[in-house]
Amino acid sequence: MKLLIKGGRIINPALNMDIAGDILITDGCIAEIGQKIDGAGAEIFDATGYIVAPGLVDMHVHLREPGLEAKEDIYSGTRAAAAGGFTTIACMPNTKPVVDSSIAVSGIIQRAQNEGVVRVRAIGALSKGQEGKELAEIGDMVAAGAVALSDDGHYVSSARLFQAGLLYANMFDKVVISHAEEESLVEDGHMHEGAISAMLGMRSRPAVAEDIAVMRDVMLAEYTGARLHIAHVSSANAVEFIRQAKKRGVKVTAEATPHHLTLTDEAVIGFDTATKVNPPLRSADHVQALIQGLNDGTIDAIATDHAPHAAEEKDMEYIYAPSGFAGLETSVGVILTSLYHTGQCTLPQILEKMTIGPARILGGEAGVLQPGAAADITLIDPDREWVVDETTFYTKGKKTPFSGQKLKGKAVAVFVAGELIMKNGEVLK
Ligand SMILES: [Zn+2]
């Protein structure tokens, strides 16, 4: 079985490649990349006008399975990923029960093979039940296929436990992912602390809560020499701490979400519960610091923190609604509209953060187009204009702060192991 993806602009950040060319796929793998490949006998996929990129990688997704299938499951979540242009996603362990054992990790991997349409990597919990009291069975989970460890959703309050987790995960060369918000400072807070929260009279989550948490975690990573990844960075000081730590050689990486990179706390003014996220949407100075961090390499990855909820959970008063919304299907459009079309970032920069950046953090094979690699490929039309209509989403979580927005840029085709699984937004399996 031969397939030729013909005539696109191939942007392959891992190899600093940006060329007009073709990709020949045989038996699910990339056989050749180059200009004017002779595709005799191959089926042709016309990519004229499109960007041809490595399959996008999202290292922060909540698939909600097991136990929370009213919000999302592996079937719906992986289809949302495909619709959004992703070929590899990593799912967080804050499910019911928490993924803190090898059997739970195996279960997710097995279910994803049976039900999923994209590759799913499992992240195991750092502590048992994500309770922050006792380390989970890290070695067993890694043996079962866990790619990282995280108590995402919670900060690990005990510095001692977090340090032990860093050291233990590091023995297996796995990264610990921190949800960095000092809990005593964010309890009952619903939005960023600033002029808008004062105006709305809403209890808030100050940026300093994130700063303190990131600072502690970075110091422990430096002390132990272990690998640390900071999830959904949103504050300017946190970006600066990470920047300085990287300069000192600390093994710290970081991600930012499309919403933190493009929205401010002003979005909360209408009390749309879709704007309620942890950490919260911050003010414009924080957003600018994040974009600067993206551009200077402080931030390694763009990750959605896709966190769907059932409609009846989000249709509540703001202070009672759960945090998070479904980000997989709007990520490419939001990022290209707000960062590329405004001239703040280039396409190779953006695609690096959505392919090889996260792939390197998770380890394993993904995020690069090269002969011999699995043909996981995403085609993007950077100029396609579309309006966000959440009723067409594949995810079960229909709430989005981008509802009704006109975006420019969309994933138009996705191949996983050479198989076309999404075309023009429609998932084909
Ligand atoms: Zn989180």
Side-chain angles (χ1 to χ4, degrees):
M1 197 17 230
K2 276 171 125 187
L3 174 70
L4 186 69
I5 298 178
K6 195 173 169 55
R9 174 182 169 191
I10 302 170
I11 300 181
N12 190 13
L15 302 178
N16 274 322
M17 180 191 287
D18 186 352
I19 60 167
D22 311 329
I23 298 182
L24 183 65
I25 299 166
T26 53
D27 301 323
C29 289
I30 294 174
E32 196 181 343
I33 304 171
Q35 277 145 341
K36 301 217 170 12
I37 293 173
D38 173 22
E43 190 188 324
I44 307 282
F45 193 99
D46 184 6
T48 307
Y50 298 154
I51 291 153
V52 181
L56 304 184
V57 178
D58 189 348
M59 67 178 294
H60 192 148
V61 171
H62 297 273
L63 288 176
R64 305 300 195 195
E65 207 179 323
L68 301 167
E69 289 85 354
K71 298 173 189 282
E72 191 79 292
D73 57 29
I74 287 169
Y75 184 96
S76 61
T78 60
R79 278 160 183 79
F86 297 92
T87 60
T88 296
I89 57 177
C91 61
M92 284 295 180
N94 58 336
T95 47
K96 242 185 182 165
V98 165
V99 176
D100 60 3
S101 66
S102 60
I103 189 93
V105 169
S106 316
I108 294 207
I109 293 170
Q110 191 63 52
R111 288 274 296 152
Q113 271 162 7
N114 295 339
E115 303 275 320
V117 295
V118 302
R119 299 179 200 273
V120 175
R121 307 266 183 89
I123 298 170
L126 187 69
S127 70
K128 280 189 184 155
Q130 290 194 316
E131 287 172 354
K133 293 181 182 139
E134 208 184 328
L135 284 185
E137 303 291 346
I138 291 174
D140 288 353
M141 286 191 289
V142 170
V147 293
L149 291 312
S150 181
D151 274 2
D152 184 51
H154 309 277
Y155 187 53
V156 179
S157 297
S158 163
R160 184 191 170 94
L161 186 82
F162 194 72
Q163 174 179 269
L166 282 170
L167 283 167
Y168 202 34
N170 202 51
M171 281 168 46
F172 304 98
D173 195 27
K174 296 297 170 206
V175 71
V176 172
I177 303 175
S178 172
H179 176 125
E181 283 186 295
E182 164 53 43
E183 294 203 346
S184 64
L185 288 171
V186 298
E187 265 170 343
D188 295 327
H190 308 287
M191 66 177 296
H192 174 62
E193 179 185 273
I196 308 288
S197 68
M199 183 183 88
L200 298 175
M202 196 177 304
R203 292 194 60 167
S204 54
R205 306 169 81 91
V208 72
E210 178 175 337
D211 303 340
I212 290 170
V214 168
M215 177 70 98
R216 186 206 76 178
D217 291 353
V218 163
M219 290 180 81
L220 287 174
E222 184 162 23
Y223 180 59
T224 58
R227 288 172 61 203
L228 166 70
H229 177 78
I230 306 290
H232 40 54
V233 173
S234 70
S235 93
N237 280 335
V239 173
E240 184 56 24
F241 295 158
I242 295 163
R243 179 181 292 124
Q244 295 305 329
K246 283 187 164 188
K247 280 187 190 151
R248 296 196 302 276
V250 180
K251 292 182 201 153
V252 59
T253 53
E255 74 194 29
T257 69
H259 47 281
H260 290 114
L261 284 162
T262 63
L263 296 176
T264 68
D265 54 352
E266 290 185 26
V268 180
I269 289 173
F271 298 108
D272 176 359
T273 58
T275 65
K276 187 172 177 183
V277 286
N278 291 342
L281 300 174
R282 301 204 190 275
S283 48
D285 47 333
H286 292 285
V287 174
Q288 273 314 308
L290 283 185
I291 295 171
Q292 204 189 332
L294 202 66
N295 282 332
D296 71 15
T298 303
I299 290 167
D300 306 86
I302 295 172
T304 63
D305 192 6
H306 176 83
H309 294 284
E312 64 270 22
E313 296 173 290
K314 270 299 219 186
D315 285 336
M316 288 233 173
E317 253 184 89
Y318 202 87
I319 60 168
Y320 299 119
S323 294
F325 70 92
L328 284 166
E329 289 166 83
T330 50
S331 176
V332 167
V334 166
I335 289 293
L336 262 55
T337 303
S338 296
L339 300 183
Y340 166 61
H341 288 294
T342 56
Q344 297 188 89
C345 299
T346 67
L347 285 171
Q349 270 174 331
I350 289 167
L351 290 170
E352 182 193 348
K353 311 293 179 188
M354 299 182 83
T355 58
I356 191 66
R360 272 194 196 114
I361 296 164
L362 296 175
E365 285 170 17
V368 56
L369 301 171
Q370 61 189 355
D376 291 1
I377 300 172
T378 298
L379 271 54
I380 294 168
D381 182 345
D383 297 315
R384 176 82 56 94
E385 294 188 324
W386 60 290
V387 175
V388 177
D389 174 3
E390 60 275 22
T391 63
T392 66
F393 282 177
Y394 283 87
T395 175
K396 294 183 186 179
K398 309 294 186 194
K399 281 274 178 193
T400 168
F402 303 106
S403 176
Q405 279 197 25
K406 194 172 166 191
L407 299 179
K408 194 171 182 184
K410 199 175 201 312
V412 292
V414 166
F415 297 86
V416 174
E419 186 186 357
L420 181 65
I421 61 159
M422 185 279 272
K423 193 176 178 191
N424 286 323
E426 192 187 336
V427 179
L428 306 172
K429 303 175 67 173

